[in-house]
Amino acid sequence: KLRPFELALLIVFGVLGMVALFLLSNYDSDDGDKNQVAVRNSVEIWGTLNQDLMNKLIRDYADINEDFEKVFYKQIDPRNFDFEVINAIADGRQPDILFISHERLIELRDKIYSVSYDDWPERDFRNSYIDGAEVFALDDGIYGFPVMVNPLMMYWNRDMFSTAGLITPPTTWEQIVSETVPSLVQRSFNRSIIKSPIAFGTFNNVKNAYGVVSTLLLQGGSRMTYIKDEDYVVSLTSSMYDNSNPFYNAMDFYTKFGSISNPLYSWNRTLPEDKDMFISEDLSLYFGFASEAKELEEKNPNLNFDMAEVPNGRDATVRRVYGRFYSFVLLKSANLNDSFAVASTLGSENLAKTFADAFNMAPVYRSSLIGGSNDIYGQVSYKSAQVARGWLNPDLDRVESILSDTIDDIHANRKSVSGSINDARDLIRESY
């Protein structure tokens, strides 16, 4: 019969032994600062990014943790992504995890598992991630494990600028209006555009028009949309900075470049897509995402271009640019434990930077951005990542269609700028 003191000692040593056994079983001798995570069943991830590259990154990690040999990634055409996911869920063949940008978050929100703030305190989230990643932190919890951001950047043709006597790219919209357009635009006698300085003014032949318009709105102080009392509030026409109307200012400025009667006229709907024009050296400035830099190099090895941050207003006190934030999100499925283990591991700080660098984006961890990048383009995009923001659109395709119609209505004089943007705001509100 054991005395109380001896019994207590046995219990204490037993507990310590169990803790030691747990630590030893999770210790990774190849990477001592990380714990391996057990994955018992296969886990399938769906996303829109390159399948070969994503699976290579996962296989590389599987060399450290062999359980990740059970993890597979499948690339889905972005044009059909939402349709494929919803139908897969209906048929009971859904993946376990989605790797998506915030642009798809609201449409799929009711299918996604969120982590409560009791389990993941908001203070911890804010301390770890840059401000823009909070697009995944909604009123009822955190929707996923943020990994990287693809900020909108400004690409400029160095030869076209230097030929016109311009040494550096514009840093303000005022410079574009007063210096870039007058110096670089080439028109024929009948106002046909031969070479364009900037592809603003239309929607369908501007590859990233949605990102450009969103940037102008964010820079104007719009809160875009937010959640209040479980409802989505559309705040496109209200500024946080003053009494101005960000939506009106954005549309008025953007459409000027597509109006043939305006001195800034430098783009129209008959021209090829702006990215193709930039590659063929008929466009001086291209507003594309950070991930596009290497593709531009490959498409035209002789193209003498560089990347710069998107301009802000001359008097701006707060810098903003639109960015696509990517996250591993969990679908509500029976394989939740394994999905959580995989998503939290792949979304960890070291792996997030690995993913970001591989896809030519920027990591969303504050500490990773502080560490900087050795890549020639990463050195610029990392700066933009710090001020990048996204917004909770209800349906990306629907919103793009609304913005496209709004711009067409303004150019065709079917509606005033004020009438057009008010109608667009109401249509976006109805889409939630």
Side-chain angles (χ1 to χ4, degrees):
K1 184 176 179 180
L2 296 175
R3 288 177 291 181
F5 174 75
E6 293 172 328
L7 181 61
L9 280 179
L10 284 176
I11 293 173
V12 169
F13 283 118
V15 170
L16 290 174
M18 292 176 64
V19 171
L21 182 62
F22 174 81
L23 292 175
L24 285 171
S25 67
N26 284 278
Y27 179 76
D28 178 12
S29 59
D30 293 323
D31 193 356
D33 64 342
K34 286 187 294 192
N35 290 332
Q36 288 192 0
V37 175
V39 180
R40 293 176 173 78
N41 303 294
S42 63
V43 173
E44 186 172 14
I45 305 170
W46 284 11
T48 60
L49 299 182
N50 184 274
Q51 179 170 302
D52 292 338
L53 179 54
M54 182 65 77
N55 278 320
K56 179 185 181 303
L57 295 171
I58 295 173
R59 297 285 80 76
D60 288 346
Y61 181 71
D63 291 338
I64 299 172
N65 184 346
E66 63 182 15
D67 277 2
F68 275 70
E69 292 287 354
K70 306 170 187 172
V71 180
F72 304 93
Y73 174 86
K74 180 180 178 181
Q75 182 180 358
I76 306 294
D77 188 327
R79 294 169 296 183
N80 305 321
F81 187 82
D82 296 339
F83 176 82
E84 291 284 346
V85 170
I86 291 171
N87 276 276
I89 292 173
D91 295 341
R93 53 180 179 83
Q94 71 270 16
D96 305 291
I97 300 172
L98 301 178
F99 189 51
I100 58 173
S101 81
H102 75 275
E103 294 171 337
R104 300 183 185 277
L105 178 59
I106 296 306
E107 189 173 6
L108 296 172
R109 183 181 179 185
D110 63 341
K111 312 289 191 303
I112 297 172
Y113 174 83
S114 64
V115 183
S116 74
Y117 290 114
D118 291 333
D119 296 324
W120 192 347
E122 186 176 4
R123 169 49 54 198
D124 293 347
F125 187 90
R126 288 190 174 201
N127 288 345
S128 297
Y129 299 103
I130 56 177
D131 295 356
E134 291 173 21
V135 72
F136 288 102
L138 304 187
D139 56 338
D140 59 340
I142 298 169
Y143 282 72
F145 297 85
V147 175
M148 58 193 184
V149 56
N150 201 7
L152 189 71
M153 309 298 299
M154 182 178 70
Y155 295 94
W156 58 291
N157 185 305
R158 302 200 298 178
D159 287 338
M160 295 176 79
F161 268 75
S162 60
T163 299
L166 303 177
I167 305 302
T168 59
T171 58
T172 67
W173 298 117
E174 288 82 2
Q175 270 185 281
I176 286 179
V177 169
S178 63
E179 184 178 276
T180 306
V181 171
S183 299
L184 292 169
V185 68
Q186 294 183 29
R187 310 185 193 95
S188 66
F189 69 94
N190 63 351
R191 303 275 290 173
S192 295
I193 297 168
I194 300 171
K195 288 186 181 291
S196 172
I198 185 170
F200 282 13
T202 64
F203 199 93
N204 294 332
N205 61 342
V206 177
K207 181 175 176 61
N208 300 307
Y210 175 83
V212 171
V213 172
S214 295
T215 293
L216 294 173
L217 282 162
L218 290 165
Q219 290 182 358
S222 173
R223 288 187 67 182
M224 309 299 281
T225 61
Y226 59 95
I227 300 173
K228 182 179 181 180
D229 299 327
E230 299 183 358
D231 288 329
Y232 296 100
V233 179
V234 178
S235 185
L236 301 176
T237 56
S238 300
S239 174
M240 296 181 288
Y241 306 143
D242 50 39
N243 294 322
S244 65
N245 185 328
F247 203 2
Y248 178 94
N249 293 338
M251 286 290 99
D252 183 56
F253 176 74
Y254 185 80
T255 55
K256 277 183 169 64
F257 298 88
S259 175
I260 195 169
S261 60
N262 195 287
L264 294 175
Y265 176 61
S266 50
W267 193 253
N268 62 52
R269 67 175 66 189
T270 68
L271 295 168
E273 187 177 70
D274 59 339
K275 187 173 185 176
D276 294 332
M277 288 274 286
F278 185 77
I279 291 171
S280 64
E281 303 187 64
D282 292 315
L283 176 65
S284 305
L285 295 174
Y286 168 62
F287 289 79
F289 288 95
S291 62
E292 298 180 59
K294 300 299 171 69
E295 182 187 355
L296 294 174
E297 286 183 335
E298 293 172 0
K299 288 289 182 67
N300 184 354
N302 297 317
L303 182 64
N304 184 19
F305 76 94
D306 206 348
M307 173 196 284
E309 294 183 76
V310 171
N312 277 254
R314 179 180 53 212
D315 300 323
T317 56
V318 178
R319 290 168 51 229
R320 286 287 182 268
V321 70
Y322 182 75
R324 285 190 184 127
F325 288 82
Y326 286 85
S327 176
F328 288 106
V329 302
L330 281 59
L331 287 179
K332 297 173 181 177
S333 69
N335 198 20
L336 195 57
N337 288 338
D338 287 330
S339 299
F340 192 94
V342 170
S344 61
T345 300
L346 295 181
S348 62
E349 183 177 346
N350 290 337
L351 287 178
K353 189 175 189 312
T354 299
F355 280 111
D357 289 344
F359 283 98
N360 303 308
M361 300 186 196
V364 292
Y365 280 89
R366 293 182 184 274
S367 54
S368 297
L369 289 184
I370 291 173
S373 170
N374 293 324
D375 182 76
I376 189 172
Y377 300 121
Q379 292 172 18
V380 184
S381 64
Y382 270 43
K383 293 180 181 179
S384 288
Q386 300 171 42
V387 296
R389 299 289 188 276
W391 63 285
L392 301 173
N393 75 81
D395 180 326
L396 182 60
D397 293 337
R398 174 65 177 147
V399 173
E400 286 189 325
S401 177
I402 291 170
L403 293 176
S404 177
D405 291 343
T406 300
I407 291 169
D408 288 346
D409 286 343
I410 293 171
H411 282 314
N413 292 317
R414 286 189 289 266
K415 299 176 185 177
S416 65
V417 176
S418 294
S420 296
I421 62 106
N422 287 334
D423 287 347
R425 177 200 58 200
D426 294 341
L427 288 171
I428 291 174
R429 181 180 291 136
E430 294 169 4
S431 299
Y432 284 94

